[in-house]
Amino acid sequence: MEKNPISVMYDEHDIIVKAKKIIEKLENTWDSNATEYAEKAKKLVEFFREYADGYHHRKEEEVLFPAIKDHPDFVLQEIVDEFYTHHDDFRTYASEIIENINEGDYARSYKIFKQYINDLQDHIAAENDELFVLADSLLDDRQKETLYYRFMDIDMELGEARKKDFEKWIDSVF
């Protein structure tokens, strides 16, 4: 299928998981250059907030999750509810990282980054291996095409160029 929203989700996950290498490269860099650590860490939080949460999680929360939950053959409502909870947890992590950076507690901010990326990887694996496979089997081609265009509407609303900039940035740092 050419306009497959599930492919969009997988592709965005591929971009998001690249952040792990960036986080690993940040370890202890505050010892030699705290200002540079803070700048890079804040840029990474911006990526998580705008790309992972703004573009990706918004598509899931506003489009994909409701489509799955409303499907008559879907009975595992708790799974989707758990993914919503994960998204809230990720927002909390981002806030805590910024708070610790602003307080100068770089080691603590890094510890939270590590927890964030570990939880995020688990979350992405569960979505890839369970939710997206389920969605692909539940939804027919017409429904998928509708979701795809709704995803594209979100990208246009938030700015397609901004999304591409984040993708180029993560690749350049990666």
Side-chain angles (χ1 to χ4, degrees):
M1 174 172 198
E2 186 178 319
K3 296 182 180 358
N4 189 340
I6 307 306
S7 294
V8 172
M9 295 286 94
Y10 285 123
D11 291 346
E12 289 176 355
H13 275 174
D14 289 345
I15 297 292
I16 294 165
V17 297
K18 290 179 180 181
K20 180 176 181 160
K21 291 254 191 243
I22 298 169
I23 291 170
E24 290 169 350
K25 288 179 183 178
L26 286 175
E27 187 169 15
N28 295 321
T29 59
W30 56 86
D31 289 335
S32 59
N33 191 335
T35 303
E36 185 177 337
Y37 170 81
E39 288 171 5
K40 288 180 178 178
K42 286 179 179 181
K43 179 66 178 177
L44 193 53
V45 169
E46 180 183 350
F47 167 79
F48 283 131
R49 284 180 166 166
E50 290 189 42
Y51 188 91
D53 195 41
Y55 289 92
H56 183 77
H57 292 160
R58 183 173 170 194
K59 289 179 184 119
E60 290 175 340
E61 292 177 358
E62 293 181 11
V63 181
L64 183 63
F65 292 172
I68 294 169
K69 285 183 86 162
D70 292 344
H71 196 282
D73 295 334
F74 183 70
V75 293
L76 302 170
Q77 304 296 331
E78 311 80 43
I79 289 175
V80 174
D81 293 340
E82 188 175 328
F83 289 129
Y84 279 113
T85 300
H86 292 173
H87 292 177
D88 287 338
D89 293 344
F90 300 142
R91 292 176 188 115
T92 300
Y93 284 144
S95 294
E96 289 175 355
I97 291 166
I98 293 296
E99 180 180 316
N100 280 279
I101 290 169
N102 289 340
E103 292 173 359
D105 193 345
Y106 304 124
R108 175 82 180 124
S109 72
Y110 185 76
K111 184 177 179 184
I112 298 167
F113 260 134
K114 294 289 283 184
Q115 185 65 51
Y116 187 157
I117 198 64
N118 289 335
D119 289 355
L120 187 59
Q121 284 184 292
D122 291 344
H123 171 84
I124 286 172
E127 285 185 342
N128 285 353
D129 297 344
E130 299 170 28
L131 187 72
F132 296 167
V133 172
L134 180 64
D136 200 36
S137 66
L138 282 176
L139 304 170
D140 62 33
D141 286 349
R142 182 188 54 74
Q143 291 168 315
K144 289 179 198 171
E145 186 173 0
T146 299
L147 294 183
Y148 175 84
Y149 283 114
R150 291 187 62 201
F151 285 178
M152 296 305 100
D153 288 345
I154 289 171
D155 284 353
M156 284 190 291
E157 179 185 328
L158 296 175
E160 291 171 307
R162 180 80 172 146
K163 182 180 179 190
K164 291 287 182 213
D165 287 345
F166 277 116
E167 291 169 352
K168 288 177 190 170
W169 173 78
I170 201 112
D171 280 334
S172 73
V173 180
F174 181 69

